[in-house]
């Protein structure tokens, strides 16, 4: 069973957390996996009613990925599965993405609230995802379409030695003991870095387990799924 939706995890890991970090220093010459499915939802929040909105959203995702490349990072774009969803998880996954997009918009201020789209009225469609994949392929990006959720694929890539950091908007990934970059301020390119394995090893993993136990989790069965080795 893997944890999802862990609340108050990052405060419990404060001793392994660095805030207001210059990402141009941390990510230079590093391999970074990013969850483009979340980015799609974030930009959909603002541009769902824009003219030619799919092209606008895809262009924003690509531009964001390029900003990381400009920092000297090697970027691996990961997307949720298009055709396969964990049994009984489709609604839960969509609700989680919506909550993330709404929380992101509130936290970053975004545009004037009167101009913001009610994100719950819109959905990331397979057509939009395929549009992004076509653009990533055309522009030469390295990308992976996960067998199920992107979160687990990103963890797999880091633990398999294919990446150094996961860039994410929520704390779930930290529970798997991989280095994450979160709360990114895209205007200044600064963020929060959590590296639970640095120095402390078993102690840091124990702190993660304690936080998960204390604050509770929503769980999903993933034990029997063997992810393929990704050839980069």
């Amino acid at each position: 069973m893997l944890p999802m939706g862990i609340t108050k995890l990052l405060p419990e890991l404060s001793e392994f957390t660095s805030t207001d970090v210059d990402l141009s220093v941390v990510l230079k010459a590093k391999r970074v996996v990013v969850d483009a499915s979340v980015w799609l939802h974030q930009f959909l929040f603002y541009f769902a009613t824009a003219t030619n909105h799919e092209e606008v959203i895809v262009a924003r995702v690509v531009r964001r990925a390029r900003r990381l490349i400009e920092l000297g990072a090697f970027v691996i774009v990961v997307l949720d599965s298009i055709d396969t969803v964990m049994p009984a998880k489709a609604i839960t996954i969509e609700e989680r993405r919506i909550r993330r997009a709404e929380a992101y918009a509130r936290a970053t201020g975004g545009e004037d609230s009167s101009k913001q789209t009610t994100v719950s009225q819109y959905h990331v469609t397979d057509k939009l995802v395929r549009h992004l994949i076509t653009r990533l392929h055309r522009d030469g990006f390295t990308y992976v379409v996960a067998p199920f959720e992107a979160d687990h694929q990103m963890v797999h890539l880091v633990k398999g030695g294919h990446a150094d950091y996961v860039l994410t908007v929520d704390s779930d990934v930290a529970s798997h003991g991989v280095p994450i970059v979160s709360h990114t301020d895209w205007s200044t390119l600064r963020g929060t870095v959590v590296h639970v394995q640095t120095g402390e090893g078993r102690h840091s993993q124990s702190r993660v387990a304690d936080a998960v136990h204390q604050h509770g989790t929503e769980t999903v069965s993933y034990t029997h799924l063997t992810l393929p080795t990704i050839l980069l």
Side-chain angles (χ1 to χ4, degrees), residues 157-173:
L157 288 170
V158 174
K159 290 196 170 184
H162 300 298
D164 302 299
Y165 287 95
V166 173
L167 194 149
T168 180
V169 297
D170 67 279
S171 62
D172 296 28
V173 179

Side-chain angles (χ1 to χ4, degrees), residues 14-155:
S14 59
E15 64 185 280
F16 310 110
T17 302
S18 301
T19 59
D20 194 31
V21 174
D22 184 348
L23 299 186
S24 66
V25 175
V26 174
L27 300 183
K28 185 175 182 179
K30 298 297 184 181
R31 300 163 299 173
V32 184
V33 287
V34 300
D35 186 346
S37 297
V38 171
W39 287 0
L40 285 172
H41 277 83
Q42 290 172 350
F43 289 125
L44 182 67
F45 185 89
Y46 293 113
F47 301 111
T49 59
T51 302
N52 198 19
H53 73 279
E54 287 190 358
E55 185 62 38
V56 172
I57 292 168
V58 167
R60 292 276 179 158
V61 171
V62 170
R63 185 170 72 175
R64 182 171 284 184
R66 288 195 186 283
R67 293 195 72 187
L68 295 174
I69 293 173
E70 290 168 359
L71 296 181
F74 177 76
V75 175
I76 306 169
V77 180
V78 181
L79 297 108
D80 290 332
S81 171
I82 299 175
D83 302 312
T84 308
V85 178
M86 288 181 174
K89 291 300 293 183
I91 294 176
T92 299
I93 291 171
E94 182 66 12
E95 288 175 344
R96 290 178 67 222
R97 300 300 185 199
I98 289 171
R99 289 197 300 271
R100 288 174 180 175
E102 291 175 331
Y104 174 86
R106 288 194 299 269
T108 58
E111 299 178 7
D112 184 86
S113 60
S114 64
K115 298 179 182 179
Q116 291 177 351
T117 302
T118 304
V119 70
S120 60
Q121 295 177 357
Y122 299 92
H123 304 277
V124 171
T125 63
D126 286 356
K127 180 183 175 185
L128 176 57
V129 175
R130 293 182 191 280
H131 188 167
L132 175 58
I133 291 172
T134 299
R135 176 69 180 274
L136 293 172
H137 182 76
R138 188 196 76 183
D139 290 1
F141 282 90
T142 298
Y143 66 91
V144 176
V145 179
F148 290 108
E149 283 196 79
D151 288 357
H152 306 122
Q153 183 66 62
M154 293 189 296
V155 170

Side-chain angles (χ1 to χ4, degrees), residues 175-214:
S175 68
H176 302 295
V178 297
I180 72 170
V181 177
S182 66
H183 300 94
T184 304
D185 184 336
W186 291 98
S187 64
T188 62
L189 290 176
R190 304 186 76 86
T192 297
V193 176
V194 183
H195 205 318
V196 297
Q197 290 184 325
T198 300
E200 297 292 340
R202 294 181 182 177
H203 174 63
S204 63
Q205 292 300 305
S206 176
R207 287 293 301 278
V208 171
D210 289 345
V212 169
H213 177 73
Q214 178 180 353

